[in-house]
Amino acid sequence: MGNLKISKAKKKNNTKGTSGIPNWLLSLLITLVLIAVIAVCVFIFITNAGWPMRWTTAMELDGYKVDVNMMSYYYQKTQDNFLNQHYQTYSNYASFMGEDYTFEDYFEQVGIEYDPYLDPEEQDYKEDDENGDTYEKWSDYFLAQTVESVKELLVYRAEAVKLGVTLDKEDKEAINQDIDAWISELRA
């Protein structure tokens, strides 16, 4: 009987880790921590891949939806178009004004208080637009322009669907070639 007590005592000591925590509890804690780490990694991956933005509708018109990623693209395109339009005019002015004439000088000359090097959300929009609308920030102006552009696109899309207009194989190939060319440019 004396040996029996010793073996039970050894068995009890084997069920505890070095910190005095039972092995099953230690295993459970490690498993929970690993599950939490994996969940955080998956969340970060999904977020960085932009999936939540693709699932979130930013705008809808006549049953056609525009997700946040698409709206973000059109917003950037609107801002780029604004800058490109003014840059072309600036280039024409600069050829007459000389080397010291800057893009900022052009904006000042035409009465636009906008700095292309700053975030539009940080810049006040000081004048009314061509429709008489007033905006607090340049980002508000660009967003309003974007919404109007996207509305037009959605109306065109709805009309094309109504008329049965579809892309044929050649159209799809041309689009894929354009996309491949853009990707090549971005990688270069």
Side-chain angles (χ1 to χ4, degrees):
M1 279 253 182
N3 287 339
L4 188 58
K5 288 182 183 178
I6 293 172
S7 64
K8 281 185 179 179
K10 283 183 181 178
K11 194 172 184 182
K12 281 186 179 180
N13 285 339
N14 287 340
T15 60
K16 291 191 176 186
T18 56
S19 62
I21 300 173
N23 284 341
W24 68 268
L25 183 57
L26 192 58
S27 295
L28 178 64
L29 290 174
I30 290 172
T31 303
L32 291 175
V33 167
L34 287 175
I35 289 172
V37 167
I38 290 170
V40 167
C41 289
V42 167
F43 175 78
I44 290 171
F45 172 76
I46 287 173
T47 303
N48 286 341
W51 290 345
M53 302 296 229
R54 290 184 198 131
W55 299 329
T56 306
T57 301
M59 185 175 159
E60 184 174 353
L61 183 68
D62 295 333
Y64 297 107
K65 296 179 181 181
V66 176
D67 64 41
V68 173
N69 280 348
M70 290 170 64
M71 197 68 163
S72 178
Y73 166 80
Y74 287 118
Y75 176 90
Q76 188 61 51
K77 190 173 178 179
T78 299
Q79 188 176 357
D80 290 347
N81 287 343
F82 171 84
L83 289 174
N84 287 337
Q85 172 190 355
H86 286 287
Y87 189 78
Q88 286 176 343
T89 307
Y90 154 74
S91 297
N92 293 335
Y93 275 81
S95 65
F96 296 110
M97 303 296 269
E99 293 178 18
D100 295 336
Y101 189 70
T102 65
F103 200 27
E104 293 82 11
D105 293 336
Y106 162 76
F107 276 126
E108 187 177 322
Q109 182 178 358
V110 295
I112 297 175
E113 291 188 35
Y114 179 74
D115 186 342
Y117 304 107
L118 295 178
D119 184 356
E121 284 196 24
E122 297 173 2
Q123 299 182 63
D124 293 333
Y125 188 91
K126 302 216 175 178
E127 65 268 351
D128 294 344
D129 72 357
E130 57 273 2
N131 298 327
D133 295 327
T134 304
Y135 306 101
E136 288 186 29
K137 302 284 182 187
W138 272 94
S139 58
D140 300 331
Y141 169 78
F142 289 133
L143 183 59
Q145 299 302 312
T146 301
V147 167
E148 289 305 312
S149 296
V150 171
K151 279 182 185 176
E152 280 182 33
L153 284 171
L154 292 177
V155 167
Y156 292 146
R157 181 175 191 255
E159 196 63 28
V161 168
K162 192 186 309 180
L163 296 173
V165 176
T166 59
L167 297 175
D168 61 15
K169 186 178 178 181
E170 291 173 359
D171 293 331
K172 291 178 183 178
E173 286 175 6
I175 291 169
N176 286 333
Q177 288 174 354
D178 287 344
I179 291 171
D180 292 340
W182 292 331
I183 289 171
S184 297
E185 283 181 35
L186 290 173
R187 289 185 178 156

